[in-house]
Amino acid sequence: MSSTELPETRTAAAAPHSSRIRAVRVADGEELRSVALPGLTLTVRARPGRRPGLPPALYVHGLGGSSQNWSALMPLLADLVDGESVDLPGFGDSPPPDDGNYSVTGHARAVIRLLDAAVGGPVHLIGNSLGGAVSTRVAAVRPDLVRTLTLISPALPELRVQRSAWPTALFALPGVAPLFQRLSRDWTPEQRVRGVLSLCYGDPGRVSEEGLRHAVEEMERRLDLPYFWDAMARSSRGIVDAYTLGGQHGLWRQAERVLAPTLLVYGGRDQLVSYRMARRAAAAFRGSRLLTLPDAGHVAMMEYPETVAQAVRELIEANERSTDDSGGS
């Protein structure tokens, strides 16, 4: 559920939150903007479409990630959608929410407010890990906001969680985050990044030296943020809480309520979301498409962006044909 950053980037012109904290990176062709909402400020990374009038798409990252996690995928779809990726509250370049709510519902509410205030009209919604759980909830409670839904290793409840995912659950326990912070204080940013890569990638060797260097720089920036550990711990707790929530608000029940055409992407080497959950997800999301990538880990859009982009393209184009045939807008 953690993820890392991508190569081929440059320093953004946007000012960081503190004079001692370096600016985030921005890929060529991307733009950063800040959206101020009551009690909430969100940083949005835009990859404008290649021609006017393209439908909007919104990309939602996972735990420990940021809008940069989509910098490899967004340009591959720029001829099809007008893409934006959001830094969830407390992650990337977005400051913490005023109410301190890092639950899945809190993050979903932030996405809904962004779509209502700053986008207008339904979007092609694409989420990874925590962002997949958030996107599922958005699509279930606000179907008017979602044209299609793509979920890459979505963090949906599992009865038997893989052992490699246990640390994320333990991180949610009170006092564990400060303890881990103390125990790991001597770890270098590069050691931390390599640990994230080994957990999130099917093959960490796919990350270039330049990509590793940029990821280390981003890790250094994040560790300087005074709210870094709190955002991680509270969001981890939010995932665990969502796993235990039943009834109409349970994520699997909400998955069954999703009306938007859905694409599911699962990696065979995913250490955080079990590959075996693909079949259950395909049954829960009505009429969904399923893409399985045996060699991919938890962040298939970063490891295999071309393959993921092609699947998303097929979903969107099929939806457009269906909409045209039915005479919809």
Side-chain angles (χ1 to χ4, degrees), residues 173-242:
L173 296 176
V176 171
L179 175 62
F180 180 78
Q181 184 178 1
R182 290 195 299 272
L183 294 176
S184 64
R185 63 180 178 271
D186 294 329
W187 294 8
T188 67
E190 180 172 343
Q191 287 174 321
R192 295 177 189 274
V193 167
R194 289 189 181 278
V196 169
L197 293 179
S198 66
L199 184 63
C200 292
Y201 276 69
D203 177 11
R206 296 179 65 87
V207 179
S208 68
E209 287 299 317
E210 183 182 31
L212 176 63
R213 176 168 54 83
H214 288 163
V216 170
E217 292 172 356
E218 174 63 13
M219 180 62 74
E220 292 172 342
R221 188 191 73 83
R222 293 187 185 190
L223 290 171
D224 280 338
L225 296 173
Y227 51 83
F228 172 79
W229 292 104
D230 186 59
M232 286 289 293
R234 289 175 182 261
S235 291
S236 298
R237 195 171 305 138
I239 294 175
V240 173
D241 289 345

Side-chain angles (χ1 to χ4, degrees), residues 27-236:
D28 291 333
E30 293 179 349
E31 305 165 358
L32 284 186
R33 65 188 178 98
S34 182
V35 179
L37 301 166
L40 187 68
T41 299
L42 298 173
T43 295
V44 175
R45 182 179 303 267
R47 168 69 69 167
R50 294 178 190 163
R51 65 180 187 276
L54 292 176
L58 184 69
Y59 302 80
V60 188
H61 65 80
L63 178 65
S66 76
S67 59
Q68 293 187 62
N69 293 153
W70 303 102
S71 289
L73 184 65
M74 287 199 294
L76 301 178
L77 295 170
D79 65 315
L80 192 65
V81 297
D82 191 15
E84 293 189 329
S85 55
V86 61
D87 286 328
L88 291 173
F91 293 96
D93 204 39
S94 292
D98 287 356
D99 62 4
N101 187 346
Y102 288 100
S103 67
V104 170
T105 297
H107 286 310
R109 187 178 298 120
V111 170
I112 289 171
R113 292 175 64 192
L114 172 66
L115 292 176
D116 277 336
V119 177
V123 301
H124 297 287
L125 188 58
I126 304 170
N128 168 237
S129 190
L130 166 62
V134 169
S135 298
T136 297
R137 186 150 289 172
V138 171
V141 302
R142 288 292 304 274
D144 59 303
L145 293 179
V146 183
R147 294 176 185 239
T148 66
L149 179 65
T150 296
L151 305 175
I152 302 168
S153 295
L156 300 175
E158 301 182 39
L159 291 178
R160 292 183 295 121
V161 178
Q162 299 179 102
R163 288 186 178 181
S164 50
W166 287 359
T168 300
L170 292 174
F171 205 72
L173 296 176
V176 171
L179 175 62
F180 180 78
Q181 184 178 1
R182 290 195 299 272
L183 294 176
S184 64
R185 63 180 178 271
D186 294 329
W187 294 8
T188 67
E190 180 172 343
Q191 287 174 321
R192 295 177 189 274
V193 167
R194 289 189 181 278
V196 169
L197 293 179
S198 66
L199 184 63
C200 292
Y201 276 69
D203 177 11
R206 296 179 65 87
V207 179
S208 68
E209 287 299 317
E210 183 182 31
L212 176 63
R213 176 168 54 83
H214 288 163
V216 170
E217 292 172 356
E218 174 63 13
M219 180 62 74
E220 292 172 342
R221 188 191 73 83
R222 293 187 185 190
L223 290 171
D224 280 338
L225 296 173
Y227 51 83
F228 172 79
W229 292 104
D230 186 59
M232 286 289 293
R234 289 175 182 261
S235 291
S236 298

Side-chain angles (χ1 to χ4, degrees), residues 263-274:
L263 168 67
L264 303 164
V265 182
Y266 281 82
R269 295 184 178 179
D270 194 333
Q271 299 181 62
L272 293 167
V273 170
S274 176

